[in-house]
Amino acid sequence: MYVATIVASAKKRNLNAETLNEVRANLADVSRVAVIREGIAADIYFEQIDLGYKPPQGFDFIIQKAAARKKKLLVCDMESTIIQNEFLDEIAELGGFKTEVAKITEKAMNGEIGFREAIEARVKILKGMPESEIRALIETRLTYNPGAKELLAACKKAGVYTMLVSGGFTIFTDAVTRELGFDESHANRLEFDREGFLTGVAPPLLGKEAKLEIMAAQAKKMAISLDDCAATGDGANDLPMLHAAGLGIAYMAKPKVKAEIKNQINNSDLMAIGYAIGLK
Ligand SMILES: [Mg+2]
């Protein structure tokens, strides 16, 4: 049996009986419809996937095998997923190198150039920036994406282990980890000289393969399978973990990611992941 979790925007709250009936009529052998949150989220249990069916516009639609929906580990990308920012771009803007750096970021996120190569090239442009100014971005710029706090609180309550895994920098993952209560985080560490000016990024660089490796290592430690893991992200560097996790969800993702990962959040918010894995 499959479950389709259908989620509306929390602002619109427009998931009504009419929409649910329309979806129900288009899925094969529906056994049950269960409202999770009035106007916002519902589960539809059904027996067969009709590959030709297009769900109504404006809602997110996460489909998985019903028996495997409960997850024990959630791994999240940070930048443009849990938070709105891409901090390399923010640092670049601060230093007046915005255009130069954003071009490399875009290429990396679309998978046109190597991830490690891209980090090194961008950090090189930003060499000499003061640590105090970079740190101040936490206060002035850090913005959470809708549903992030709610999702983490729901995971905590349900005992789901949460990891923040970022190709970004520990300065920012540390702040986000503290604020949202992630159990663990992994990212790259920027290096500064004694006067506090940026010199580079510490090896080994956490690249594209690392996110999947970290998720797999944690699953092993917890004696669970990758099927017990959920993962979310938006960029090409998230693809290996999104493919490998029992439930991989593309969040407001880049075209390359949307093309490969069928479960997507494009209309609602991060709490859709919580609803999909059976949290309230
Ligand atoms: Mg990202």
Side-chain angles (χ1 to χ4, degrees), residues 237-263:
N237 61 327
D238 299 313
L239 277 170
M241 75 167 178
L242 294 178
H243 279 298
L247 181 64
I249 299 181
Y251 176 80
M252 311 280 179
K254 305 292 182 292
K256 185 179 162 70
V257 178
K258 278 191 181 171
E260 289 188 30
I261 303 295
K262 71 174 191 327
N263 282 320

Side-chain angles (χ1 to χ4, degrees), residues 169-272:
F169 306 113
T170 52
I171 288 181
F172 307 108
T173 52
D174 287 351
V176 170
T177 298
R178 266 197 308 275
E179 171 97 23
L180 295 195
F182 278 95
D183 290 304
E184 201 175 315
S185 68
H186 296 262
N188 292 312
R189 195 168 49 79
L190 289 174
E191 290 181 314
F192 299 90
D193 63 18
R194 284 188 183 184
E195 283 75 44
F197 294 105
L198 181 63
T199 55
V201 55
L205 273 183
L206 194 151
K208 185 173 173 175
E209 312 75 24
K211 294 193 180 195
L212 170 54
E213 283 165 16
I214 289 166
M215 180 174 76
Q218 182 61 28
K220 200 175 168 194
K221 211 164 150 187
M222 292 169 70
I224 60 173
S225 79
L226 287 177
D227 279 344
D228 298 318
C229 305
T232 188
D234 71 295
N237 61 327
D238 299 313
L239 277 170
M241 75 167 178
L242 294 178
H243 279 298
L247 181 64
I249 299 181
Y251 176 80
M252 311 280 179
K254 305 292 182 292
K256 185 179 162 70
V257 178
K258 278 191 181 171
E260 289 188 30
I261 303 295
K262 71 174 191 327
N263 282 320
Q264 304 179 356
I265 297 174
N266 298 315
N267 302 288
S268 61
D269 62 48
L270 286 162
M271 189 54 200

Side-chain angles (χ1 to χ4, degrees), residues 77-83 85-86 109 166 211 233-235 237-238 254:
D77 167 50
M78 181 176 75
E79 296 183 313
S80 297
T81 301
I82 293 295
I83 64 172
N85 318 72
E86 288 286 341
M109 285 298 140
S166 173
K211 294 193 180 195
D234 71 295
N237 61 327
D238 299 313
K254 305 292 182 292

